[in-house]
Amino acid sequence: QVQLVESGGGLVQPGGSLRLSCAASGNITSVHTMGWYRQTPRNERDMVATITTNGRTDYADSVKGRFSISRDNAKNTVYLQMNSLKVEDTAVYYCYTLFEQGSALRLKNTWGQGTQVTVSS
């Protein structure tokens, strides 16, 4: 059983900042790509940012220059620093992890429970 536990969501005013954290635990042999996705009632779950084991990052155009993803491989934890937040950033944010488990031939993936980020004045 592999779990992703998220924290750091909340209510913030436009222009403010939040830092999300996601810690992976359980039977994980090796963590590969980790990332953050977000979803609103009107939209499907979209990629916000991803980061590979070696630190290569990718961002959605809408958050470039404002958000920063990082990871601590020793702790199997991924972070999302969100600055200059906008009302349109309001969404449920989900952590994602791609990983190896035991001798499985194919990589597996799992999602966090989601954490609410609300940007409002």
Side-chain angles (χ1 to χ4, degrees):
Q1 185 71 19
V2 175
Q3 297 181 352
L4 302 180
V5 180
E6 303 178 20
S7 63
L11 175 65
V12 65
Q13 294 183 338
S17 298
L18 285 174
R19 185 172 188 255
L20 305 183
S21 298
C22 173
S25 63
N27 187 19
I28 300 174
T29 300
S30 180
V31 175
H32 285 243
T33 298
M34 305 183 80
W36 292 93
Y37 293 69
R38 66 187 181 187
Q39 186 171 9
T40 66
R42 298 181 179 84
N43 301 101
E44 63 184 4
R45 190 174 298 182
D46 296 323
M47 187 273 285
V48 176
T50 60
I51 183 169
T52 68
T53 302
N54 294 328
R56 190 190 75 208
T57 59
D58 190 22
Y59 296 92
D61 289 340
S62 60
V63 306
K64 288 181 179 178
R66 299 188 299 118
F67 291 10
S68 180
I69 188 171
S70 61
R71 64 190 289 165
D72 185 333
N73 290 333
K75 298 180 179 180
N76 285 340
T77 300
V78 63
Y79 307 93
L80 184 67
Q81 179 66 47
M82 304 183 292
N83 299 323
S84 301
L85 283 163
K86 304 175 180 179
V87 172
E88 50 263 44
D89 293 319
T90 296
V92 177
Y93 285 69
Y94 295 89
C95 177
Y96 170 87
T97 300
L98 185 66
F99 64 95
E100 296 179 24
Q101 186 175 67
S103 299
L105 297 177
R106 302 176 65 178
L107 296 176
K108 299 181 178 181
N109 64 270
T110 191
W111 294 88
Q113 80 280 7
T115 184
Q116 178 70 46
V117 171
T118 302
V119 184
S120 176
S121 60

